[in-house]
Amino acid sequence: MLVEKSLKNLLVNGTLIWYYYICKREVWLLAHGIEPPQDNELISIGKLIHREYYKKHKRELMVDNKIKIDIFAGKRIIGEIKKSSRYLKSAKMQLAFYLYYLEVEKGKKAEGELLIPEERKRMKIILTDELREELKRAIFEIEK
């Protein structure tokens, strides 16, 4: 079992968790300040989806420069909006990281909803012991 420690001083953030499950090379590049161009058409589409869907919910909150919560759907539910379900595992783990971060650093327990409006999909994400352990391993690997 990996030791639970503060996440504030670590390199890891939600974006690195997302890419960890897609491409480890991309994690290394991002961690070293090498980012893809932000004028990419897919990034623009993602921003449009964020702007147009879920207008009645509170929007984007940055916490400790580590996690960027897309929406709040109630008092203890946070949502992550994705363009498609193509990288479902990555999206699930990114949202689980947000829940884990809020639990460890802020003492707040919440549930998550993964939202894919173009596909009309919604998945509930609950932070389980299994997800916590997987996140600890991912964080350890990213830091290494």
Side-chain angles (χ1 to χ4, degrees), residues 58-72 78-80 98 102:
K58 294 179 184 174
R59 298 224 174 243
E60 294 185 347
L61 173 70
M62 181 65 84
V63 179
D64 297 336
N65 226 16
K66 292 287 181 185
I67 65 173
K68 185 176 180 184
I69 299 168
D70 288 343
I71 63 170
F72 294 92
I78 62 172
E80 178 65 14
Y98 294 169
L102 291 173

Side-chain angles (χ1 to χ4, degrees), residues 11 47 76 93 137:
L11 163 76
K47 288 179 181 180
R76 298 272 183 196
M93 295 311 295
R137 284 189 296 277

